[in-house]
Amino acid sequence: IIPRIRHSAWAGSFLDGVNVAALGLIAAVTWDLARAAYIDWFTILIGLIAAGMLFRFKLSSVWLVLFGGGMGFLSALWR
């Protein structure tokens, strides 16, 4: 049914607007979460290392979650 709706000029434009609105909401939520999560230099460093590992080595997000949890645990022990 979606390809048939896409051929309609009005409905296709509406669906394009819905896609743009969803992307805007995703970007806004990502920005708010990043501002809440990155509160000091240590969390920023963990985020940069995780992003580097993700893009350089194409790691699974499971490993990144384990890495972040381990760094958070070490951070709690350190303080």
Side-chain angles (χ1 to χ4, degrees):
I1 193 169
I2 298 296
R4 187 172 173 197
I5 292 173
R6 273 280 180 203
H7 288 325
S8 166
W10 183 85
S13 297
F14 175 76
L15 289 177
D16 288 341
V18 169
N19 285 337
V20 170
L23 286 174
L25 285 172
I26 290 169
V29 168
T30 301
W31 178 257
D32 284 343
L33 286 174
R35 284 184 44 208
Y38 297 124
I39 55 175
D40 60 358
W41 66 270
F42 191 69
T43 55
I44 292 171
L45 181 65
I46 291 172
L48 289 174
I49 291 171
M53 289 170 53
L54 176 67
F55 292 120
R56 173 66 175 101
F57 301 112
K58 308 285 190 228
L59 291 178
S60 169
S61 33
V62 172
W63 290 110
L64 292 177
V65 169
L66 290 174
F67 170 74
M71 290 289 107
F73 180 72
L74 290 177
S75 172
L77 289 177
W78 184 40
R79 292 181 187 195

